[in-house]
């Protein structure tokens, strides 16, 4: 069956080979329709059927486009378990993956805070350890910061401290292309956490290809 995938709000069109021009007369897979109710977690990344025959539902606390990309990563790495981190412009999503299932989702508004404090463009945060060891001093560390690198280091360090139970002893994967992606990558590397960096087009294409077999099922 010929198919194409659409992410609402993204504007791009996807086919089996990647991005392509929109064609008429082909089945459509739709991701990101706000009227589609989320699946509750724990939940498989690959649903048993698409909602309405061609819509991918979001998960509780996770938008559908992130579910799509996590599905693509899991499809390309079927035996991978660990924690996925998706830094968005406002919100960072942490998701624990096990056996192809999302078992926990947690969000943090680090991106929104970074924008407010004008440090979202930083790629090499500094001083992460100070906030990681004393996250209760975050407000004071922000007051003491004189460079945007230190400000972002405090924000990410405090977030890493709050999420320590999710990443400690685990492998991690970065998903998406938010402005703080490089900063999170540097933070994980500084903490010697094994982290995989992904190519957004590759995981998006793989996610749509995994969904294509579910078209009009159920």
């Amino acid at each position: 069956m010929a198919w194409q995938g659409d992410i609402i709000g993204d504007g791009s069109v996807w086919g089996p080979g990647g991005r392509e021009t929109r064609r008429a007369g082909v089945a459509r897979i739709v991701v990101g329709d706000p009227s589609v109710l989320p699946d509750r977690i724990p939940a498989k990344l690959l649903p048993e059927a698409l909602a309405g025959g061609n819509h991918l539902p979001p998960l509780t606390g996770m938008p559908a486009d992130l579910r799509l990309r996590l599905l693509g990563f899991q499809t390309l790495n079927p035996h991978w378990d660990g924690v996925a981190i998706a830094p968005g412009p406002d919100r960072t999503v942490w998701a624990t993956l096990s056996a192809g299932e999302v078992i926990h989702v947690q969000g943090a508004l680090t991106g929104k805070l970074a924008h407010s404090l004008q440090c979202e463009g930083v790629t090499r945060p500094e001083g992460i350890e100070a906030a990681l060891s004393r996250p209760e001093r975050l407000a004071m560390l922000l007051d003491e910061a004189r460079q945007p690198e230190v400000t972002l280091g405090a924000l990410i360090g405090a977030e890493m401290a709050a999420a320590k139970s999710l990443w400690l002893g685990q492998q991690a994967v970065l998903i998406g292309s938010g402005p703080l992606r490089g900063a999170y990558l540097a933070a994980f590397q500084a903490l010697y956490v094994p982290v995989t960096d992904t190519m957004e087009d590759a995981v998006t294409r793989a996610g749509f290809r995994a969904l294509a077999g579910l078209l009009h099922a159920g």
Side-chain angles (χ1 to χ4, degrees), residues 88-125:
D90 293 328
R91 180 173 180 260
T92 297
V93 176
W94 294 70
T96 302
L97 308 182
S98 178
E101 189 172 60
V102 178
I103 61 175
H104 178 77
V105 174
Q106 180 69 59
L109 291 180
T110 301
K112 191 170 187 176
L113 292 170
H115 177 74
S116 297
L117 295 171
Q118 301 180 338
C119 60
E120 71 270 27
V122 171
T123 58
R124 302 296 298 185

Side-chain angles (χ1 to χ4, degrees), residues 179-199:
L180 295 183
R181 177 194 186 95
Y184 279 89
L185 179 63
F188 278 112
Q189 291 172 339
L191 295 172
Y192 302 101
V193 177
V195 58
T196 299
D197 197 9
T198 59
M199 297 179 63

